[in-house]
Amino acid sequence: MRKTFILLSFLLIGAIVNKTLAQAKNKPLIVFVTGDHEYSGEFTLPLIAAELEKNYGFRTKVLKAYPNQNAEKNIPGLEALQEADLAVFYLRWRQLPPDQLEYIDKYLKSGKPIMGFRTTTHAFNYPTGDASEKWNAFGEFALNAPPGWGGKAAHTHYGHESSTDVSVIPAAKNHPILTGVAPSFHVRSWLYRVLPDYPTKGSEWLLMGKSVNPDKAAIENPVAWTGTNSFGAKVFTTTMGHPEDFQVEAFQRLVINAIHWELGKKVPKKWKGRIDINVPYRGMVK
């Protein structure tokens, strides 16, 4: 009798474990890839990841430049992209080796959705003539953004002492990503100039930014958009992403909504509440 009880107990435990593993496997996996020198993406995005796991039923994995955010040539763990359902990038001027780029290349060619924050418009910075130089245009071919900093696109910003007033573009007000997002809000990030040629043709603009206290003549520019990239994948890109932006509830909700939308999930109408994110701005500190 006792042996039968023990056997049944083991079988029950095994069934529970198998069910738990199956449920976990069915949850979409989001892989966050960070390494941006300046904006502490390796600290803000793990807090977003934790919220997604706790309240929204996703699995997440956060990859970080090693040994720190200034290490431009190594992001361990990129093989996780092989299992990812969504890749979220917050990069700046990396020079990853070919074997690491290969994982990103395969992910892009899979046509799975992609998300990019702020400096990911200039994610890579290989020298002229380098075999990987084409990756300098990552912003354009992956995110419908300018192909790197400066250049013909004149991709620039309006000064570190400026900030940005953000407003919902009227034509986009019913987009699922904007569910519950305040019609106007303020962020600390200085406005990026992406116009006149970007976002690429066919992109849908969601939010417009107006520079506050710019250091030069400023025009309004889109700060968040969606679209389909050159690989046929769904894209969400935002030029916001200063760590203080992550404290703004409207921005937090925008990000959570965008992740649901990218994965083909229904955007939650009920907001789980403001996320406690208090990460200081680091600046360009070595």
Side-chain angles (χ1 to χ4, degrees), residues 3 8 13 37 40 42 110 121 139 158 168 222 248 263 269:
K3 289 182 178 179
L8 289 173
I13 291 170
H37 296 110
S40 302
E42 73 278 4
S110 75
T121 59
Y158 293 105
V168 170
V248 179
L263 287 165
K269 289 185 178 180

Side-chain angles (χ1 to χ4, degrees), residues 43 53 60 129 197 227-228 281:
F43 294 114
E53 292 206 353
T60 65
D197 299 321
T228 302
Y281 172 61

